[in-house]
Amino acid sequence: MSQPHVSEKEQLNKGLKGRAHEALTDANLQKALSVIGKGFVNKRAMALEGCPQFKALSDRAVAIKRHTLTHLEHYLEQFEQALNAQGGQLHFASTPGQARDIITQICKEQNAKSIAKGKTMVGEEINLTHHLEDEGFECVETDLGEYLIQLRNEIPSHIIAPAVHLTREEIRDDFKTAHKSLPRDRELETPQDFVKEARGILREKFINADVGITGANLLIAETGSTTLVTNEGNGDLCSSLPNTHIVISSFEKLVPTFEDASTILRLLARSATGQAISTYTSFITGAKRPDDLTGPNNFHVVLLDNGRSQMLGSDFEDMLRCIRCGACLNHCPVYQNIGGHAYGSVYPGPMGAVLSPQFMGEKSQDLPFASSFCGRCNEVCPMQIPLTKLMRQWRQKATNKAGLVANLPMHLWASLAKRPRLYNWAMAIGLPMVSWVTKQKTITNIIPALAAWQKHRSLPNIEKKSFQVQYQTDKKNKE
Amino acid sequence: MTNSSKTQFLKDISTAVKGRDGGLIKAEITPQDWAKQTSVTREKSRSPSANKTSNIEKLTKILEGQSATIYHLESASKVPSQIANCAKNWAKRTQNSNDPALDRGEETDPIEIAYGDNSTLKELIKGNEAMLNNDTIKLVSWPTQPLLSEGDALISLTIADAAASETGTLFMLSSNENPTPLNFLSACHIVLLPSDKICETYEEAYHSSLSHSAKNNIPRTINMISGPSRTADIEQALTLGAHGPMELNVLIYDEA
Ligand code: SF4
């Protein structure tokens, strides 16, 4: 099970363009994506309507994260002490490899055979499940969406709805192949049918698991608590039934107190699914207490850096406020059209375009180009992250690297723009030509490269006269 | 893990932090001042304005909107009979279900209700034990094998430590009397909620629940629950009972 359907490497080799092209012509995917607008976007709008203090909460949340990141060392220290006092252990991993080794080591020490895993984006970032499977453990994803994509060996296509790209028909095929013990001719029609079947299959996995692994949406320094937000309740079974519970997270999830966590929780679900709060929010602090009847005897928190520390103190520090709500994905016209997989990274959409180059380096350098810079992401981000500004900075870096050839058109344009007379002259000759070309039905014969572009949108007709000329004429006419 | 990885990790952070604009750091208040400010708001949430009726109304409305069922009981004495009713209704609803997870075995087997060894609960049903322990209904205490092996005991019973009306949220603190899995393993969850424990905000509910907990110490798990378990992972269609309860019944009553 360790190679994805289409291997990640293969996907990366296709480049952003290749993947986006495939996504746009994938009918199933387009059908699946069409529900995002109706679903998340409308629900978020309604949730915000019902929360007049949203803007104030958002301002406060930004201040909380700024404060915590400024005094990060202090709060890390406080978190570790509080966690240790409750029988938990903190581990530091600078790289994905270190994080995987730490977790593998813990599982081996416990003689674990089976692992029940909740949804964690940091886990996805370090490819944890595949790694644990390669190490010989049975590692089952228990979030329904994650389970669906585990059956297909895919990566998530959305940070809060990992299987949003799948249709019922595809899931039915996967279930019939995977759940061999059930009668072949059973009915799998309604969403209920699927959910019940998965519930039955996964229930056994929870109960038999030696280790549970979950992520954390927030870490609370004062109490050493990790916060887990789900709608299904799968994370809570992972964290309460097995004898060992491991939380994989990263340092930017820290906040000072429960009060601060509450502020952010009030933004999270409203921005993500449009709920006022997710069904389950749990504060998990250390190992089981001596007189508890159930709960893990061993509790570990693994913090991953993976390039995050390099963002501190730079313009990219703003990105460390991200609470992974997914609002910027849901509202992004590019994401809505190409889906998550086209980005070739576990973090897609605008937030992914900023994070992935940091985490994955060169491999995802083209992601910041997957934006129309419409700015919707900036507007909907509850943590007020200037996403387009940060994407532009990555572009700048990539273009600087690419050198003169890539920059040539820009340089030409710049030198024209600096010489008004030359500019006007060039426009007077150039525009009528461009205008004529764009009005031709057979434009793709003249400029073949436009064929792909035109498949999904039409080229605007270009005026014969420049704005400046029109403006001047208009002004004269009025006088 | 090893000390060296911790040292490296913290070094990377402190190096990066040093590159920060000094003015920005100065503008930020110290952790000590942050804690002071928090303690002021915390004091306020420890003594909330008593808005009992409106909190109950709000909580009910929101929780119902989140697919829970709320029962307002005249008095604590009605608790045992209402538990029995919920259990019987659940059994009736699932009687003809073709879902193997809901199969209780023989129809004549008693319906099992799993609960923690809870002193408050014992107090509540004192004198009415027969209502919940007879041919049709049986109370079983956690950890029970049937509940674990996804079979018979499909109902769980727990007591909330607090609730926040702002989003219809129950606060459940783990203890030997309230084991966490009871909130998640059953198909039908019955929660007892004394009306005095209903606050408005998360902060109020959190601090009031902790003030009752043993030695004011934070428990291993605090669950905030705002409805039955749900998922939208199949074509974004909202479906109840993903892994946790399909049904959440909340019984609100005045403590005697
Ligand atoms: S960048 Fe903002 S909108 Fe996007 S996931 Fe992060 S917090 Fe949400």
Side-chain angles (χ1 to χ4, degrees):
Chain A
M1 241 210 208
S2 65
Q3 279 308 309
H5 265 189
V6 194
S7 84
E8 228 171 287
K9 209 165 141 217
E10 233 171 87
Q11 280 289 65
L12 281 171
N13 286 343
K14 281 185 208 146
L16 174 65
K17 259 194 207 157
R19 296 188 304 261
H21 178 77
E22 269 175 19
L24 286 167
T25 47
D26 180 338
N28 266 353
L29 176 67
Q30 289 300 323
K31 183 180 157 206
L33 286 172
S34 68
V35 296
I36 286 185
K38 281 177 270 165
F40 291 134
V41 172
N42 291 348
K43 285 186 198 140
R44 173 187 170 275
M46 271 157 61
L48 261 64
E49 228 166 79
C51 181
Q53 68 278 32
F54 193 86
K55 177 68 174 65
L57 287 167
S58 160
D59 289 345
R60 178 68 188 159
V62 172
I64 291 169
K65 284 276 182 169
R66 274 215 182 109
H67 173 80
T68 319
L69 289 169
T70 306
H71 300 290
L72 192 56
E73 291 157 291
H74 169 87
Y75 287 115
L76 262 177
E77 187 73 50
Q78 193 187 15
F79 177 77
E80 184 174 25
Q81 277 177 16
L83 176 67
N84 290 344
Q86 300 290 0
Q89 223 182 312
L90 187 62
H91 306 263
F92 297 88
S94 297
T95 64
Q98 283 175 7
R100 289 191 295 259
D101 288 348
I102 292 166
I103 294 172
T104 310
Q105 181 72 24
I106 297 170
C107 294
K108 282 188 177 156
E109 275 165 18
Q110 293 303 318
N111 280 323
K113 285 189 185 63
S114 54
I115 301 168
K117 198 173 147 292
K119 183 170 141 357
T120 134
M121 286 313 297
V122 178
E124 291 290 343
E125 191 181 323
I126 65 171
N127 199 10
L128 184 58
T129 307
H130 281 136
H131 176 81
L132 291 170
E133 284 174 345
D134 289 346
E135 289 282 342
F137 302 104
E138 186 204 21
C139 184
V140 183
E141 298 286 356
T142 60
D143 170 86
L144 183 56
E146 290 280 342
Y147 178 69
L148 298 181
I149 60 169
Q150 185 181 31
L151 292 180
R152 305 172 67 82
N153 255 324
E154 291 179 347
I155 61 168
S157 65
H158 191 291
I159 57 172
I160 62 159
V164 70
H165 60 289
L166 296 180
T167 59
R168 210 175 292 210
E169 293 72 32
E170 291 170 302
I171 301 169
R172 182 184 302 124
D173 288 346
D174 293 338
F175 271 27
K176 295 227 158 148
T177 316
H179 307 156
K180 292 222 165 59
S181 59
L182 299 172
R184 182 85 210 152
D185 57 351
R186 68 191 179 278
E187 196 162 310
L188 275 174
E189 258 322 306
T190 64
Q192 238 96 8
D193 296 338
F194 291 99
V195 170
K196 275 185 190 162
E197 180 163 322
R199 181 187 168 103
I201 298 268
L202 290 171
R203 183 50 65 99
E204 209 182 305
K205 306 287 181 191
F206 286 120
I207 290 159
N208 296 327
D210 305 301
V211 174
I213 300 180
T214 65
N217 299 74
L218 295 160
L219 305 169
I220 303 176
E222 184 182 27
T223 49
S225 309
T226 68
T227 310
L228 186 63
V229 177
T230 76
N231 271 315
E232 299 181 3
N234 64 310
D236 292 283
L237 290 171
C238 291
S239 73
S240 63
L241 290 177
N243 191 38
T244 301
H245 177 202
I246 306 172
V247 172
I248 167 96
S249 191
S250 48
F251 63 71
E252 80 277 15
K253 308 260 165 39
L254 267 172
V255 294
T257 64
F258 175 84
E259 281 77 358
D260 302 317
S262 297
T263 301
I264 292 177
L265 287 171
R266 290 183 178 110
L267 299 170
L268 180 58
R270 289 186 171 101
S271 302
T273 51
Q275 293 165 281
I277 187 171
S278 299
T279 305
Y280 301 115
T281 300
S282 302
F283 301 94
I284 295 162
T285 315
K288 111 190 219 293
R289 308 290 182 258
D291 56 352
D292 278 347
L293 298 173
T294 7
N297 281 303
N298 315 299
F299 181 66
H300 300 269
V301 179
V302 181
L303 290 187
L304 175 72
D305 182 334
N306 194 23
R308 286 169 174 80
S309 59
Q310 287 168 40
M311 302 167 90
L312 284 169
S314 79
D315 284 342
F316 289 98
E317 181 166 322
D318 285 339
M319 195 59 213
L320 293 175
R321 292 200 297 269
C322 174
I323 53 172
R324 310 283 190 267
C325 71
C328 59
L329 278 64
N330 299 335
H331 292 78
C332 174
V334 178
Y335 180 91
Q336 282 174 0
N337 276 294
I338 65 176
H341 284 161
Y343 292 81
S345 152
V346 295
Y347 298 108
M351 56 86 75
V354 179
L355 281 178
S356 306
Q358 185 74 46
F359 296 162
M360 299 165 67
E362 297 238 318
K363 281 186 283 182
S364 54
Q365 236 185 26
D366 51 357
L367 290 203
F369 291 83
S371 164
S372 65
F373 287 90
C374 71
R376 277 298 276 150
C377 51
N378 304 338
E379 286 161 32
V380 298
C381 175
M383 302 307 288
Q384 303 177 21
I385 299 168
L387 289 152
T388 47
K389 182 185 122 193
L390 298 178
M391 275 187 262
R392 223 173 256 129
Q393 294 201 5
W394 277 122
R395 280 201 198 190
Q396 188 87 47
K397 283 191 189 180
T399 328
N400 287 349
K401 258 198 212 150
L404 187 67
V405 183
N407 285 332
L408 200 59
M410 258 306 172
H411 284 308
L412 270 176
W413 168 261
S415 61
L416 259 186
K418 272 186 237 154
R419 298 173 178 80
R421 295 213 8 224
L422 190 65
Y423 180 91
N424 288 340
W425 176 80
M427 286 299 139
I429 302 186
L431 275 182
M433 272 170 65
V434 177
S435 173
W436 176 81
V437 169
T438 54
K439 281 187 190 131
Q440 301 310 302
K441 289 224 173 60
T442 50
I443 182 168
T444 48
N445 292 342
I446 306 171
I447 314 175
L450 277 178
W453 198 85
Q454 278 222 312
K455 236 185 218 164
H456 302 285
R457 66 223 112 162
S458 54
L459 201 63
N461 284 333
I462 291 177
E463 293 293 335
K464 282 197 191 104
K465 288 182 181 150
S466 73
F467 171 73
Q468 289 208 13
V469 172
Q470 288 184 44
Y471 179 74
Q472 294 296 346
T473 327
D474 196 43
K475 212 164 119 191
K476 264 188 210 143
N477 288 348
K478 273 189 191 143
E479 275 166 10
Chain B
M1 182 79 343
T2 55
N3 274 334
S4 68
S5 58
K6 177 176 176 180
T7 319
Q8 184 60 43
F9 191 98
L10 295 179
K11 202 177 121 217
D12 288 343
I13 289 178
S14 65
T15 316
V17 167
K18 279 194 197 101
R20 262 214 198 93
D21 178 350
L24 281 182
I25 303 177
K26 272 212 194 105
E28 191 55 67
I29 68 168
T30 64
Q32 289 71 32
D33 285 342
W34 191 272
K36 255 185 234 151
Q37 287 181 7
T38 307
S39 68
V40 174
T41 51
R42 194 169 284 182
E43 263 330 294
K44 276 190 206 142
S45 48
R46 281 206 173 112
S47 47
S49 57
N51 244 335
K52 197 171 155 186
T53 331
S54 80
N55 276 340
I56 295 178
E57 272 168 25
K58 192 169 175 194
L59 181 99
T60 305
K61 193 168 156 241
I62 297 183
L63 259 176
E64 282 175 349
Q66 284 154 187
S67 312
T69 313
I70 318 296
Y71 299 90
H72 296 272
L73 309 183
E74 285 155 43
S75 71
S77 64
K78 295 274 190 270
V79 169
S81 60
Q82 187 54 49
I83 295 174
N85 280 341
C86 286
K88 280 183 210 148
N89 286 341
W90 171 254
K92 220 183 278 161
R93 266 198 296 284
T94 52
Q95 201 164 47
N96 298 317
S97 159
N98 56 2
D99 182 359
L102 298 181
D103 186 7
R104 286 190 300 114
E106 289 300 314
E107 214 86 303
T108 48
D109 287 352
I111 313 156
E112 293 186 345
I113 305 176
Y115 76 118
D117 201 2
N118 196 304
S119 48
T120 318
L121 187 73
K122 281 189 186 144
E123 196 56 41
L124 272 170
I125 59 174
K126 211 177 202 165
N128 286 311
E129 284 88 353
M131 242 182 234
L132 296 170
N133 265 319
N134 51 47
D135 291 346
T136 48
I137 298 179
K138 200 168 105 195
L139 274 178
V140 292
S141 59
W142 170 265
T144 47
Q145 209 39 49
L147 189 57
L148 271 174
S149 60
E150 56 132 313
D152 285 5
L154 294 154
I155 302 177
S156 63
L157 175 63
T158 59
I159 302 187
D161 296 280
S165 68
E166 68 167 293
T167 52
T169 301
L170 308 167
F171 279 62
M172 324 288 283
L173 276 55
S174 66
S175 69
N176 55 343
E177 299 204 344
N178 266 329
T180 305
L182 285 183
N183 296 330
F184 298 96
L185 274 176
S186 64
C188 168
H189 188 192
I190 302 171
V191 177
L192 308 185
L193 174 61
S195 58
D196 285 342
K197 297 196 166 165
I198 304 176
C199 316
E200 187 184 353
T201 67
Y202 303 149
E203 290 86 344
E204 289 166 8
Y206 178 83
H207 292 297
S208 91
S209 67
L210 277 184
S211 67
H212 299 298
S213 94
K215 292 176 238 115
N216 221 341
N217 192 8
I218 189 167
R220 200 267 160 174
T221 309
I222 300 175
N223 298 124
M224 285 165 70
I225 301 181
S226 310
S229 155
R230 67 197 57 211
T231 183
D233 278 334
I234 312 283
E235 293 185 347
Q236 284 208 37
L238 179 68
T239 315
L240 297 182
H243 288 291
M246 297 168 196
E247 203 180 284
L248 177 67
N249 298 288
V250 182
L251 279 48
I252 300 177
Y253 61 95
D254 289 329
E255 262 171 327

